[in-house]
């Protein structure tokens, strides 16, 4: 019950920004506006269907993440750079739905959106021993309120604990003065 409650709170809250970006595209670039509506539709469909799934393949999760990033590219244009290094053998590994999307959304909301020149999001994935490790780096600086993690980060930790127990971990830290690093480590078999 608690896992379902946590998952239901992960629905994207950027929809209004995406719709406003699409509205701006309607007159200036109708083809891009049409593509953006498709991306938003895919994202909403995946978000709604994730409520019925405990785990999804990394490939399915990345489809959701990439649809989200394409919508944000409309909004941020050249201010948002994206890089991914994900081996093919990792694509079938099961992960919690919308977990990576939430982390990427946090990276944009709390990092890149606050920077006049924008920044980057880089996702690296590796299979190490019996674990999948996901590294998400973004331009920005980790700032907590009184050292407490934000809602999305705390939610990520709780979901991982409910699904995997102590076999999974989530850490986030300032990797350098202007780069935040989030690391998710989950077992290959739940």
């Amino acid at each position: 019950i608690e896992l379902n409650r946590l998952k239901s709170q992960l629905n994207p809250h950027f929809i209004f920004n995406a719709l406003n970006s699409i509205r701006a595209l309607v007159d200036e670039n109708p083809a891009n506006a049409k593509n953006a509506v498709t991306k938003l539709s895919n994202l909403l469909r995946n978000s709604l269907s994730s409520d019925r799934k405990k785990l999804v393949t990394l490939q399915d999760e990345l489809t959701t993440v990439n649809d989200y990033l394409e919508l944000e590219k409309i909004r941020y244009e050249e201010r948002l750079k994206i890089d991914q290094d994900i081996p093919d053998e990792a694509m079938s590994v099961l992960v919690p739905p919308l977990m990576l999307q939430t982390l990427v959304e946090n990276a944009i909301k709390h990092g890149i959106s606050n920077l006049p020149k924008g920044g980057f999001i880089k996702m690296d994935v590796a299979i190490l021993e019996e674990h999948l490790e996901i590294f998400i780096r973004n331009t920005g600086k980790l700032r907590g309120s009184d050292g407490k993690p934000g809602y999305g980060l705390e939610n990520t930790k709780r979901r991982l604990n409910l699904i995997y127990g102590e076999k999974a971990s989530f850490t986030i830290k300032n990797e350098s003065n202007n780069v935040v690093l989030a690391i998710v480590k989950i077992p290959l078999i739940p």
Side-chain angles (χ1 to χ4, degrees), residues 125-171:
V125 174
I127 295 177
L128 303 171
E129 298 174 10
E130 298 295 317
H131 286 85
L132 179 76
E133 292 196 20
I134 303 163
F135 304 88
I136 301 173
R137 288 176 173 85
N138 67 276
T139 310
K141 190 165 186 84
L142 185 63
R143 294 181 184 103
S145 56
D146 301 329
K148 297 178 183 175
Y151 171 76
L153 301 180
E154 189 59 37
N155 194 326
T156 297
K157 287 180 184 179
R158 290 181 65 196
R159 286 181 70 206
L160 286 171
N161 188 272
L162 285 168
I163 296 169
Y164 303 104
E166 293 186 16
K167 295 177 184 175
S169 65
F170 170 71
T171 56

Side-chain angles (χ1 to χ4, degrees), residues 14 17 21 68-81 105 107-119 121:
F14 74 98
N17 286 333
S21 296
Y68 170 78
L69 287 170
E70 287 297 316
L71 288 169
E72 291 294 44
K73 284 283 282 180
I74 295 167
R75 184 170 161 206
Y76 291 102
E77 298 175 339
E78 69 280 345
R79 290 180 54 217
L80 177 59
K81 307 286 188 262
E105 185 175 340
I108 291 176
K109 181 179 176 184
H110 299 292
I112 292 154
S113 71
N114 298 319
L115 303 170
K117 292 183 179 180
I121 292 184

